[in-house]
Amino acid sequence: MAKTNPIEVQKALKGASYPADRDSLVRTAEKNHAKQDLVDRFSHLNRDRYDGPNEVEKEIFR
């Protein structure tokens, strides 16, 4: 899997409404034409709900 950077995550989540669930993050990333590997990472996030993009990034980059 290619290494993801925070800017790609921010672009993928542009326009997301929070709190957001995993499925809505995936749909937002697809709408923003994110790379498939990043969309896959969103679909495999551990939590069901995120209150903001910082929470998503913490989980992706932990």
Side-chain angles (χ1 to χ4, degrees):
M1 184 182 305
K3 187 165 176 118
T4 302
N5 68 58
I7 293 172
E8 289 175 327
V9 174
Q10 291 171 10
K11 287 180 180 178
L13 297 177
K14 183 178 179 182
S17 296
Y18 294 94
D21 63 19
R22 204 175 319 146
D23 291 337
S24 66
L25 294 174
V26 168
R27 285 191 303 272
T28 299
E30 290 172 337
K31 183 183 88 181
N32 289 330
H33 306 288
K35 293 179 183 176
Q36 187 60 47
D37 64 323
L38 184 53
V39 173
D40 291 342
R41 289 185 78 175
F42 289 142
S43 70
H44 291 95
L45 290 170
N46 291 326
R47 293 172 42 196
D48 292 325
R49 175 189 152 129
Y50 294 87
D51 290 325
N54 290 340
E55 289 184 358
V56 178
E57 285 191 19
K58 278 183 185 178
E59 187 162 332
I60 286 180
F61 295 112
R62 65 180 171 132

